[in-house]
Amino acid sequence: MIIVAVIAILVLIIGIGIYNSLISKKNQVANAFSAIDVMLKKRFDLIPNLVETVKQYMQYEGDTLTKITELRGKAMGSNVSESDKLALDQQIGSAVKGLMVSVENYPDLKANTNFLNLQSTWTESEEQIAAARRNYNSSVTTYNNAVMMFPGNMFAGMLGYQPMPVLETAAEERKNVSAKELFNN
Amino acid sequence: MAVNFVISPAVQSVLDELEIQRKKIVSTNYKGWGLILGGILLAFLVTNFGGLIAGLLVGAAAVIPGGVMLYKISDDTAQYKSRFKREVVGAALSSVDQCLTLDPSNGISESEFTSSQLFTTGIDRYHTEDLVCGKIDKTSFYFAEVHAEYKTETRTKNGTQTTWHDILKGIVFVADFNKNFNGVTVVRPKDFGSSIGAWFSKNIFSVGDKNVVELENDGFNKNFVTYSTDQVEARYVLTPAMMERINDLNQRSAYTVSLSFINSSMYIAFPLDKNYFEAPVYKTLLRPDLLDDDMSVLGFMYDIVHELDLNTRIWTKQ
């Protein structure tokens, strides 16, 4: 009788442990995404300042600047899903990258301290977002392992937890790029 | 990178003087130890044939002068070693780079070593020396020899026996890191104990303020366990490129290195078997490879700044 009770208590403790672990891993994923969100907001906040600074010098890049401002407006909208926000960020990233390449044609802008600071902060934010995305993917992988592997899959089924997709890594992040290369691109 | 150093005529003349001093030290050491050992032997012989008192008197007549000789020469030896560090090694470092300085009597303080969080074991005995400081472009760095130990005591029938164990015997390298960060990230060698600890911390319960960071680089994870107070910041510091560079650096080291990123600085501990920047006593100073080992370790430390790309500062930390 005592042995049965001990086994039952042990099973209960293990069950509670697995259940809590699943909840904690799911929360960790949500937390990891909110870290990306914070970084994205920080990056989007840089855009108005960046646009204001460069438009005084770049006479021929009006379309790009308008596009960047529009994309930012969409990304900052209230009804944007998480995946849309990330897709918009990638578009903004590409557009700004193009803008940075065009800077070569504007020597006065290249010498502007405010622009240089913004450029550094922008690149820093890229690194921070890349780190946040890697953290998110790591959390998702841990969560997916827990959801798909025995005995977590039994509880996951009961809780209705499904495996989540990891964020695709941008081609630039997959490469072992040095900071210098990022800057020059 | 092999560093190019020049032994100037001034340094060569110092080496010539030191060589004379070294020969005197060696000869005095031989004489002193010869007298002591000879005296002990003589004391045994005389005790056998002429009694204990006679043996002790004869032995003391040889052992005491031998001891005095060794005592007197110990000051000369310390002065010889100190002069070698200051005037030979110091000059060789300056010839590599004017910014490089050697301070033999200073090192990395025990409090800094502890606060670097490179190791968690409590320190019972600590010694540091040979602080080398320099700056390459934007990156300031310094390194020093450190010997940190802890003791264990076991009870035997004759009392308590103390055994000393190394926490680190080697070099601690500190550089200004190229990114700003607020948290603490520590990269420690992976062994059986740390693997179990990491698994426990990840799956059961995390002790302390740092959690295990699961990174994507398999080679890196094979050699190291990473802990951090901030999961995102750990990845901001340990980018895929940085992990590759640390793997390369580790492969060049005899033993697995430990790293910590704290207060916007990077600490690297290199366990080593040899004591560097020391004057040889029983080997001549007048040989071409005299400083090769010392300069190769300097080159290794010097390279870290380039290999880890610490000078590339496009971030807000200029």
Side-chain angles (χ1 to χ4, degrees):
Chain A
M1 184 65 189
I2 294 171
I3 296 171
V4 173
V6 169
I7 292 172
I9 291 169
L10 268 177
V11 169
L12 189 71
I13 291 172
I14 293 170
I16 292 171
I18 296 169
Y19 174 82
N20 284 346
S21 163
L22 274 176
I23 303 267
S24 139
K25 286 177 172 96
K26 189 155 197 279
N27 288 341
Q28 220 170 333
V29 173
N31 189 35
F33 193 86
S34 70
I36 301 181
D37 214 33
V38 170
M39 303 290 181
L40 286 177
K41 188 173 180 314
K42 206 169 133 190
R43 177 139 104 145
F44 295 154
D45 286 346
L46 287 172
I47 292 171
N49 209 346
L50 186 70
V51 169
E52 273 308 307
T53 307
V54 299
K55 80 175 176 192
Q56 299 163 32
Y57 296 88
M58 290 181 150
Q59 300 91 335
Y60 307 109
E61 317 294 337
D63 288 349
T64 313
L65 294 176
T66 313
K67 187 184 161 195
I68 291 169
T69 310
E70 277 173 11
L71 287 170
R72 181 195 179 256
K74 277 188 198 168
M76 296 288 277
S78 52
N79 293 324
V80 188
S81 70
E82 291 173 349
S83 54
D84 284 349
K85 199 180 270 187
L86 285 167
L88 285 164
D89 173 61
Q90 285 207 339
Q91 288 181 48
I92 292 173
S94 306
V96 172
K97 213 170 189 181
L99 196 73
M100 297 297 182
V101 173
S102 315
V103 169
E104 291 299 319
N105 304 322
Y106 302 92
D108 290 346
L109 180 59
K110 267 175 77 179
N112 182 299
T113 320
N114 191 26
F115 172 74
L116 289 175
N117 281 338
L118 279 164
Q119 196 180 34
S120 301
T121 315
W122 183 266
T123 317
E124 185 170 344
S125 78
E126 291 216 322
E127 288 264 314
Q128 285 169 338
I129 289 170
R133 288 169 70 103
R134 285 167 58 213
N135 180 44
Y136 175 81
N137 282 349
S138 171
S139 301
V140 168
T141 307
T142 309
Y143 165 81
N144 284 351
N145 287 342
V147 165
M148 293 163 84
M149 283 156 83
F150 180 81
N153 56 355
M154 296 195 314
F155 286 82
M158 283 188 268
L159 289 165
Y161 282 8
Q162 295 293 323
M164 293 182 185
V166 291
L167 297 175
E168 274 185 41
T169 316
E172 303 86 66
E173 287 168 30
R174 277 199 293 271
K175 285 193 295 177
N176 263 346
V177 281
S178 76
K180 204 176 279 172
E181 284 167 345
L182 263 175
F183 182 67
N184 289 335
N185 278 338
Chain B
M1 180 186 87
V3 291
N4 296 315
F5 65 98
V6 183
I7 293 189
S8 64
V11 174
Q12 190 56 53
S13 74
V14 173
L15 278 173
D16 292 338
E17 284 173 34
L18 285 174
E19 179 65 8
I20 296 166
Q21 204 176 347
R22 185 193 71 80
K23 282 179 177 165
K24 190 184 153 199
I25 290 166
V26 171
S27 131
T28 311
N29 273 339
Y30 283 146
K31 279 181 199 160
W33 283 111
L35 278 170
I36 289 172
L37 293 174
I40 292 168
L41 198 68
L42 215 58
F44 273 114
L45 286 172
V46 176
T47 304
N48 276 341
F49 297 107
L52 182 66
I53 305 288
L56 284 176
L57 284 172
V58 171
V63 169
I64 290 171
V68 170
M69 281 171 101
L70 289 180
Y71 176 75
K72 277 188 172 172
I73 205 67
S74 64
D75 280 351
D76 283 3
T77 311
Q79 192 245 336
Y80 158 78
K81 288 184 171 179
S82 163
R83 197 172 166 207
F84 176 82
K85 281 185 185 180
R86 276 184 289 109
E87 296 182 35
V88 178
V89 181
L93 294 184
S94 298
S95 80
V96 173
D97 188 333
Q98 282 292 323
C99 291
L100 286 169
T101 57
L102 170 71
D103 185 349
S105 57
N106 263 320
I108 286 163
S109 69
E110 187 177 338
S111 60
E112 185 178 5
F113 181 78
T114 307
S115 66
S116 74
Q117 302 191 28
L118 284 165
F119 300 92
T120 49
T121 316
I123 301 165
D124 292 316
R125 190 161 67 184
Y126 186 83
H127 177 74
T128 181
E129 61 176 10
D130 298 340
L131 177 70
V132 176
C133 299
K135 190 172 186 186
I136 301 174
D137 196 6
K138 293 167 186 164
T139 309
S140 305
F141 69 90
Y142 53 93
F143 64 88
E145 286 184 324
V146 166
H147 192 191
E149 296 166 281
Y150 70 95
K151 64 179 177 187
T152 50
E153 286 177 343
T154 42
R155 291 213 170 157
T156 60
K157 50 187 175 183
N158 300 325
T160 310
Q161 192 188 342
T162 305
T163 315
W164 290 95
H165 311 270
D166 286 345
I167 298 169
L168 174 73
K169 185 176 187 294
I171 286 178
V172 173
F173 173 92
V174 189
D176 178 31
F177 198 60
N178 58 358
K179 294 179 184 176
N180 280 314
F181 52 86
N182 302 313
V184 177
T185 299
V186 185
V187 179
R188 296 204 177 103
K190 193 171 201 172
D191 53 29
F192 183 70
S194 63
S195 300
I196 296 277
W199 182 87
F200 191 83
S201 167
K202 198 181 135 208
N203 294 293
I204 313 283
F205 183 70
S206 179
V207 184
D209 58 344
K210 289 189 278 298
N211 291 314
V212 174
V213 183
E214 284 282 323
L215 294 160
E216 313 86 337
N217 187 314
D218 289 340
F220 191 84
N221 288 338
K222 205 171 127 191
N223 290 319
F224 304 106
V225 179
T226 307
Y227 304 87
S228 182
T229 53
D230 186 325
Q231 293 280 325
V232 176
E233 202 175 71
R235 289 170 173 89
Y236 177 56
V237 170
L238 295 166
T239 60
M242 180 56 90
M243 284 190 281
E244 281 299 330
R245 292 185 195 120
I246 292 172
N247 277 340
D248 290 345
L249 184 75
N250 189 50
Q251 275 180 1
R252 289 180 54 206
S253 313
Y255 301 99
T256 309
V257 300
S258 303
L259 299 98
S260 71
F261 300 86
I262 184 166
N263 297 330
S264 280
S265 292
M266 180 181 68
Y267 290 79
I268 312 178
F270 294 92
L272 296 166
D273 293 322
K274 204 186 152 193
N275 195 2
Y276 288 90
F277 307 125
E278 294 300 322
V281 175
Y282 294 99
K283 269 185 169 179
T284 177
L285 294 173
L286 305 177
R287 57 196 160 95
D289 63 345
L290 174 70
L291 295 173
D292 282 5
D293 283 353
D294 296 334
M295 290 301 125
S296 73
V297 84
L298 172 76
F300 189 88
M301 299 297 149
Y302 213 69
D303 273 355
I304 293 172
V305 176
H306 296 299
E307 284 187 11
L308 298 187
D309 204 20
L310 299 180
N311 269 326
T312 303
R313 290 169 184 239
I314 56 164
W315 297 274
T316 44
K317 188 170 178 179
Q318 290 293 333

